[in-house]
Amino acid sequence: MLEIDNLTKTYADGLQALRGCSLTVPGAEVVAVIGPSGAGKSTFIRCINRLVTPTGGSIRLDGTELTALGERGLRGVRRHIGMIFQEYNLIERLTVMENVLAGRLGAVSFMQALLRRFPQADVDRAFELLARVGLEGYENSRADALSGGQRQRVGIARALMQEPRLLLVDEPTSSLDPKVARSILALICELASELGIPALINIHDVGLALRFARRVIGLSAGEIVFDGAPAEVDEAALSRIYGADDWRDAFRQEGEEDRHVAGEGMAS
Amino acid sequence: MSAPATVSPRRWRRPPVIATPWLRWVAVAGVIAYLAFAVVDLEFDYARFVRGVPRGVDMVVSMFPPDFSRWDLLLGGLLESLQMAFFATAIGVVVSIPIAVGAAANVAPKWLYAVCRGYIGVSRTFPEVLIAIFFVKAFGFGAFAGVLTLVIASTGFVGKLLAEEIEAIDPGQVEAMRATGAGPLGVLLFGVAPQVMPRYIGLVIYRLDINLRESTILGIVGAGGIGAVLYNSFARYEYDFSLAILLAIIAVVLVAEWFSGFVRARTK
C-alpha cells in the first residue's frame, strides 16, 4: 500500500514542481499518471524513491515513512522499489546478464559485485526473468547491441530482479515505436498484476494510458486535478488536465523540469 | 550610368582587436621594449653563436662511431629506467582512481572535490625534474626518488583526465543504480566504472609511455636510471658513449610509442 500525503517539491531556484499532491494506492493496481509536459510527472515519481528529495509532505510504503529515512534506511527501501526509465538507463557496456543482476546491487557485497560472483539463486532468477520478458539466450549480449524494445525488456527484468513491492515507471514507451510501446506496456501491466504490486506509470500518451491502466491520475502544474477510472476520462477531464492548449509553453517547461531532475539526481 | 556619381564608395576596414588607439600603441610599444630588453640582458651575442657552431660540429663528429663497448653499464641503466617506469605506473594508475573519483564534481562531495583538485593542481604545476630534485634531496640518490617522482606525476595526470571523463558520463545509468538501492561503491562499480573503462585503459598505456621517456632523463638530477649514465658520459667527454646511450633511449621510446599507439587503437 502506497500513501502519499500533501507532497510538495520546490527546486532550489524557486520552481514549484509539486504543490500538495495526495494519493493512496491500496493494493495491486496499475495507475497511469498523465499530464502535459512540465506538469511535474517526472518529479512526482522520483520523489517516491527520493531520487528527488521532496520539500514537504509524507510518503508511506507499507507503513514505512520514506521522507524521514536516513541514507542507509533509504537504500534498504529502494531495494524493493523497482524503477523503469524512459531512456532505459542500462549500463551500456555491460552484458544483459550484468544489467539484470544490477537489480541486486543493493543486496550483495562490494567484492561479489566487483568479481561478478552473484549468489546462485540470483543467477537462476535472472535467467527466469530473461525468459519471462522474452530475452532467452541474450544473457551475454552487450546492452548497447540491443534494439530499443529489447533494452526496455532488460530494464523491466532489472526492476523485477529487485523483487519489488512497488514499480515506478517513467515514460516507458516514449523512445519506442507505437507497436513496441504497446507490447512493453502490456508486459509491465501483466507483470505487476502477476506479482500483485502497485505500479505508477508516467505516460504522456493518453490513448495508451486509458487502454492499460485501471486508474488514471491527471497532473497539471504540480497539482492532481483528476483521479478516476479510465472510463471517466472525458473531454471535460482532459481540458482540466491539459488546460488551454498552450503547447509552446508546455514544451518549454518540460525542458526545465528535465534539467532540474537531472541536476538533483547526480547529487549525493 | 545607373548609379549617381555623387555617392562616394563606402570604405571598410576590419575593426582592430584592441579598440582604444592609445592602449593599442602602448601594448605594441611595451612588447617591443621588453623584447629588446630581454635580448640585451641575456647577452645574446651573434659572435658567440658563430664561434660555437664549429665546436658543436666537433662534438657531433667525435660521437661517431657510437661506442657500445660498455654495453653492460648501458643495459644496467636502461633496465633500471624500465623498472622505474613500470613500477611507478603500476602504483600511480591505481592510486589515481580514488583521486579521480574525488575530483569529479558529479560524484564527490564538495570538500573532497576541493582536496583532490588541489592535489592534482599542485602535482601538475611542477615539472617532473623539479619534483625529482626535491625527492633526491629528501630520500637520497637513486631509483627510489625517481619512482616517487613518477608516481606523483602519474597520479596528477591520470587523476585529472579520468576525473574529466567521469564528469562527462551519462547520469541516467548512475540514477538507475541509485534507484536499485545500491551503496556508493556499488554505484561507482556499475554506474560509473563501465562508462570510463576504455578511457582509463588508454590513459594507463599513455602514462606508461610517458613514464618510460621520463625515466630516461630523471637520472640527470640523480634520481636513478639511464640518465645518470648519460650525464656522466657527457661530463667525461665520452661523446661516443653518449651517442650509444642516446640511440638506446631513442629505441626504447620508439618501441614504447608504437606499443602505446597499438594498444590504444584497440580500446575504443
Side-chain angles (χ1 to χ4, degrees):
Chain A
M1 169 134 133
L2 176 70
E3 298 156 280
I4 299 170
D5 189 37
N6 200 24
L7 187 66
T8 59
K9 172 64 186 179
T10 306
Y11 283 103
D13 62 357
L15 181 90
Q16 282 188 295
L18 298 176
R19 308 160 191 255
C21 296
S22 300
L23 172 68
T24 301
V25 186
E29 193 174 45
V30 172
V31 181
V33 182
I34 62 171
S37 305
K41 300 196 296 287
S42 207
T43 300
F44 181 65
I45 210 165
R46 277 172 172 75
C47 276
I48 295 169
N49 62 355
R50 281 186 41 197
L51 287 174
V52 169
T53 312
T55 320
S58 107
I59 303 166
R60 280 193 304 281
L61 178 63
D62 298 335
T64 311
E65 175 58 58
L66 303 191
T67 52
L69 290 172
E71 267 299 313
R72 194 167 266 278
L74 177 62
R75 289 206 292 269
V77 170
R78 274 181 185 165
R79 251 189 248 168
H80 298 289
I81 302 178
M83 191 160 186
I84 296 166
F85 301 86
Q86 175 176 0
E87 299 291 340
Y88 329 123
N89 288 0
L90 301 183
I91 313 303
E92 296 288 328
R93 285 205 178 90
L94 297 188
T95 60
V96 166
M97 182 52 98
E98 282 166 306
N99 270 287
V100 177
L101 288 172
R104 295 286 292 161
L105 208 49
V108 299
S109 74
F110 175 73
M111 285 314 281
Q112 281 176 311
L114 177 69
L115 302 174
R116 309 292 197 261
R117 293 267 179 268
F118 286 79
Q120 187 57 43
D122 288 350
V123 177
D124 290 341
R125 185 171 157 73
F127 273 117
E128 273 168 39
L129 285 171
L130 280 177
R132 179 69 187 81
V133 300
L135 287 177
E136 207 158 25
Y138 280 93
E139 61 270 11
N140 287 332
S141 304
R142 252 171 67 147
D144 53 10
L146 302 183
S147 72
Q150 290 173 326
R151 287 186 196 203
Q152 195 56 294
R153 285 165 192 275
V154 177
I156 293 168
R158 175 174 67 190
L160 295 187
M161 194 67 206
Q162 292 176 239
E163 303 187 314
R165 302 204 307 249
L166 168 68
L167 271 183
L168 302 175
V169 191
D170 190 25
E171 298 284 0
T173 58
S174 323
S175 310
L176 302 170
D177 70 61
K179 196 173 159 219
V180 177
R182 276 197 299 280
S183 69
I184 289 289
L185 209 54
L187 181 64
I188 292 173
C189 297
E190 217 175 285
L191 289 166
S193 71
E194 243 171 64
L195 294 168
I197 57 172
L200 239 61
I201 307 182
N202 279 351
I203 188 158
H204 70 253
D205 187 326
V206 179
L208 278 181
L210 298 185
R211 184 165 157 190
F212 286 101
R214 235 188 286 166
R215 183 173 166 194
V216 175
I217 303 292
L219 209 58
S220 176
E223 281 173 276
I224 293 180
V225 295
F226 178 86
D227 183 351
E232 297 167 40
V233 180
D234 49 19
E235 258 175 52
L238 283 177
S239 73
R240 221 185 317 151
I241 298 167
Y242 290 94
D245 28 6
D246 195 350
W247 289 103
R248 220 169 301 157
D249 247 343
F251 276 116
R252 195 165 60 232
Q253 277 178 17
E254 173 175 49
E256 219 160 84
E257 197 197 339
D258 284 352
R259 206 191 62 231
H260 278 89
V261 165
E264 180 136 341
M266 292 302 286
S268 88
Chain B
M1 291 297 277
S2 54
T6 50
V7 175
S8 62
R10 291 172 67 181
R11 313 248 316 237
W12 182 86
R13 273 167 189 261
R14 194 180 175 285
V17 177
I18 303 173
T20 322
W22 68 264
L23 192 64
R24 186 160 68 239
W25 293 118
V26 166
V28 170
V31 168
I32 290 172
Y34 185 73
L35 187 62
F37 166 77
V39 169
V40 172
D41 193 56
L42 290 174
E43 293 169 34
F44 189 83
D45 183 351
Y46 182 70
R48 201 170 143 193
F49 175 74
V50 170
R51 278 199 307 277
V53 169
R55 244 185 291 159
V57 172
D58 280 350
M59 181 178 149
V60 170
V61 168
S62 68
M63 279 180 156
F64 285 93
D67 174 18
F68 285 98
S69 63
R70 274 175 293 163
W71 59 270
D72 50 334
L73 198 60
L74 173 63
L75 194 65
L78 211 52
L79 286 181
E80 191 178 51
S81 277
L82 289 181
Q83 287 161 0
M84 283 164 55
F86 275 101
F87 187 32
T89 307
I91 300 175
V93 298
V94 172
V95 175
S96 303
I97 294 173
I99 294 173
V101 170
N106 54 345
V107 290
K110 281 206 174 71
W111 64 269
L112 185 62
Y113 176 81
V115 169
C116 290
R117 282 284 165 175
Y119 168 79
I120 288 172
V122 170
S123 75
R124 283 173 60 81
T125 302
F126 303 108
E128 273 90 338
V129 172
L130 225 69
I131 302 175
I133 290 172
F134 174 80
F135 281 133
V136 168
K137 291 283 176 203
F139 301 105
F141 288 100
F144 185 72
V147 169
L148 278 183
T149 303
L150 293 179
V151 167
I152 300 288
S154 301
T155 53
F157 177 84
V158 179
K160 181 181 165 73
L161 295 178
L162 188 59
E164 257 134 52
E165 189 72 8
I166 293 174
E167 286 178 344
I169 59 172
D170 164 24
Q173 300 180 33
V174 174
E175 184 183 44
M177 291 303 100
R178 291 175 63 224
T180 66
L185 286 177
V187 172
L188 282 178
L189 204 54
F190 272 67
V192 178
Q195 295 197 57
V196 300
M197 195 49 89
R199 174 72 168 154
Y200 177 68
I201 293 170
L203 285 174
V204 168
I205 302 295
Y206 190 24
R207 189 61 220 188
L208 177 62
D209 178 6
I210 297 173
N211 281 349
L212 282 170
R213 292 156 197 263
E214 293 293 335
S215 68
T216 60
I217 61 149
L218 288 182
I220 290 172
V221 295
I226 188 80
V229 187
L230 180 66
Y231 183 76
N232 286 337
S233 75
F234 273 118
R236 294 186 197 139
Y237 306 104
E238 297 164 348
Y239 295 136
D240 48 355
F241 187 39
S242 305
L243 181 61
I245 296 167
L246 285 174
L247 289 174
I249 291 176
I250 290 168
V252 167
V253 169
L254 283 181
V255 169
E257 184 161 302
W258 169 81
F259 175 72
S260 164
F262 177 83
V263 174
R264 280 189 292 146
R266 274 155 188 75
T267 50
K268 287 281 177 268

